[in-house]
Amino acid sequence: MYPFVILVALALGLAVVVATIDELVPVRIPTALTRTVAVLLAAGLAWGLDYSVFAAFGQDLRVDWLHPLMTGVVLIATGEFVRTFVGAIASRNGDVTAPVGTSAGVRAA
C-alpha cells in the first residue's frame, strides 16, 4: 500500500509543478514538448531520490538506468490520469470531451 501512496503523492506533486511551469511560461509551448520536459524532470527527481516504482513493487528491469527513466514516465502518466479523473468527477455534466466555452443551451438567432 505504501509504494502506491508514494507513487500517487509524487505524481500529484509533479503534476502541480508542471501546471505551475505551464502558467509561468509567457509563450504557448506545444503539449508534446511540455510532457517531454515533464518526463525528464520526473526522471531527474526519481534519480535524485533513488526511487524506482518497479523496485518498490518487486519488478526488475533489464538495466539499472531504466529504473529512473521509466519511473519518470509512470509518474507523469499517473499524474495526468489522476488530474483527468478528478476533472471528470468535478465537471458539471460529466462530459470531459466538450470544449471549454461551449454550451448546449438554446442560442438566440
Side-chain angles (χ1 to χ4, degrees):
M1 183 67 181
Y2 289 121
F4 183 72
V5 171
I6 292 170
L7 170 70
V8 172
L10 283 174
L12 289 177
L14 282 169
V16 168
V17 168
V18 169
T20 303
I21 291 172
D22 280 344
E23 291 294 322
L24 292 178
V25 174
V27 288
R28 184 74 181 138
I29 300 174
T31 305
L33 181 62
T34 303
R35 297 303 174 247
T36 303
V37 170
V39 167
L40 291 175
L41 180 68
L45 176 72
W47 176 75
L49 292 175
D50 195 25
Y51 175 69
S52 173
V53 170
F54 303 100
F57 285 104
Q59 298 297 315
D60 199 20
L61 298 177
R62 290 185 183 196
V63 286
D64 288 336
W65 62 268
L66 276 176
H67 283 280
L69 181 67
M70 298 314 295
T71 297
V73 171
V74 169
L75 285 172
I76 295 301
T78 304
E80 288 294 315
F81 172 75
V82 170
R83 188 177 61 85
T84 305
F85 184 71
V86 169
I89 291 173
S91 67
R92 284 187 171 165
N93 59 3
D95 188 9
V96 179
T97 59
V100 176
T102 61
S103 64
V106 179
R107 292 184 359 188

